[in-house]
Amino acid sequence: MSDNPTIFGKILRGEIPCTKVYEDDTVLAFKDINPHAKVHVVLIPKTHITWLRNATPAQQQTLGQLLLAAPKVAEAAGILKSGYRVIINDGPDSHGEVPHLHLHILGGQDLGTKIA
Ligand code: 5GP
């Protein structure tokens, strides 16, 4: 974790604050600083994977833990019943900025029928 220079590494190390929504041994979820929906939570693994495209079979467990945590985060954020959308940005067209794998969990409103 100490060799993770990203903003999310800093959040994990407590070097910059966040509004925590959910945490367990393997993941941390916090409110996005620039929300794109009424509820917008960022969910990250505590181990550092840069981008989805760089994930390896050895990191399968981490990837599974991340997905399995999503409904727990939604429940903690109060949007499990109403529903939510999960987004991962990867690559230039996605405009992903932070090279620490994360799920965007969006909800708290009708998100419409288009994916983005
Ligand atoms: P990306 O574009 O990499 O998929 O998503 C990065 C997300 O992290 C953006 O939605 C952005 O608003 C959020 N973000 C960037 N810096 C911070 C920060 O310091 N704190 C929090 N809570 N969110 C951040």
Side-chain angles (χ1 to χ4, degrees):
M1 193 162 86
S2 56
D3 61 351
N4 176 355
T6 71
I7 197 99
F8 293 166
K10 289 180 182 157
I11 287 175
L12 280 170
R13 291 190 295 272
E15 292 166 12
I16 61 169
C18 71
T19 304
K20 197 183 293 184
V21 174
Y22 175 87
E23 182 173 20
D24 65 22
D25 289 346
T26 59
V27 302
L28 174 68
F30 48 88
K31 288 187 182 175
D32 196 292
I33 206 168
N34 181 25
H36 285 243
K38 276 191 183 159
V39 176
H40 184 172
V41 179
V42 176
L43 169 60
I44 65 175
K46 289 187 173 177
T47 57
H48 190 200
I49 297 172
T50 54
W51 300 105
L52 186 58
R53 66 186 57 199
N54 297 329
T56 66
Q59 292 164 323
Q60 254 183 57
Q61 192 174 359
T62 302
L63 296 172
Q65 285 161 338
L66 199 59
L67 274 184
L68 288 170
K72 296 177 184 171
V73 172
E75 184 165 38
I79 57 169
L80 183 62
K81 196 174 172 193
S82 52
Y84 58 97
R85 182 169 291 156
V86 176
I87 294 174
I88 297 175
N89 289 320
D90 186 34
D93 279 353
S94 77
H95 294 271
E97 285 177 5
V98 181
H100 181 122
L101 179 65
H102 50 281
L103 308 188
H104 294 266
I105 298 177
L106 302 164
Q109 64 182 79
D110 188 330
L111 296 167
T113 54
K114 292 186 179 170
I115 288 171

